[in-house]
Amino acid sequence: MIKSLLTGASIFAASVTLAAAHDTEALMQSPPGDPYVQVSDVLPLPAFIPGLGTLFVDPAMLPAGPFLAYDHDGQLSATVYMTPLAELENGTSYDGLTVGSHTVATVDIYYNAGHPGVEAPHAHVVLYHDDEAKERLAQ
């Protein structure tokens, strides 16, 4: 019986690992599919935001995200989190946030005074997924 449970657990773990790898792969090209929505379709923001790209987010994960940031060619270039400063100051913790890609070349963190969708002052945490990503998103 123990052997059957261990075998079942191993098969389950392998399937979860494969599913996670598949899901990450599916996010590499825009559009990422459900449950993500293009931010500019639901908020008064441009389709491409210089510095952030074309953003997609799962509305259930607001305000922190992740926001998936795609370049003009639809390539996933960054994962962005928008964490309200007041919530952080009050002890809110954003744990276990997912990433669009497990490859991260560089990270930027900067202040934003607020914008449609995340109106309160917040920090942008941007994980760039390759060395050229920041440049591609700037254009």
Side-chain angles (χ1 to χ4, degrees):
M1 175 144 155
I2 300 259
K3 186 175 179 182
S4 296
L5 288 173
L6 290 175
T7 301
S10 297
I11 291 170
F12 175 74
S15 67
V16 169
T17 302
L18 290 173
H22 174 71
D23 290 344
T24 301
E25 188 64 30
L27 302 179
M28 298 309 289
Q29 276 300 127
S30 173
D34 288 338
Y36 293 94
V37 297
Q38 188 167 339
V39 171
S40 63
D41 288 346
V42 295
L43 294 173
L45 291 168
F48 188 93
I49 302 168
L52 291 176
T54 301
L55 297 176
F56 287 81
V57 69
D58 174 354
M61 300 305 294
L62 293 173
F67 292 79
L68 303 178
Y70 294 88
D71 64 19
H72 287 290
D73 294 327
Q75 176 184 346
L76 179 66
S77 299
T79 300
V80 181
Y81 307 98
M82 300 182 190
T83 56
L85 299 178
E87 290 184 22
L88 292 172
E89 289 172 349
N90 289 329
T92 298
S93 177
Y94 296 98
D95 299 324
L97 297 173
T98 60
V99 294
S101 170
H102 294 283
T103 301
V104 176
T106 61
V107 178
D108 286 356
I109 301 173
Y110 56 90
Y111 173 81
N112 187 287
H115 52 72
V118 185
E119 287 80 9
H122 57 279
H124 280 191
V125 180
V126 184
L127 285 64
Y128 295 101
H129 297 304
D130 61 72
D131 293 331
E132 294 80 31
K134 187 173 184 175
E135 183 179 326
R136 287 194 316 273
L137 295 177
Q139 304 174 19

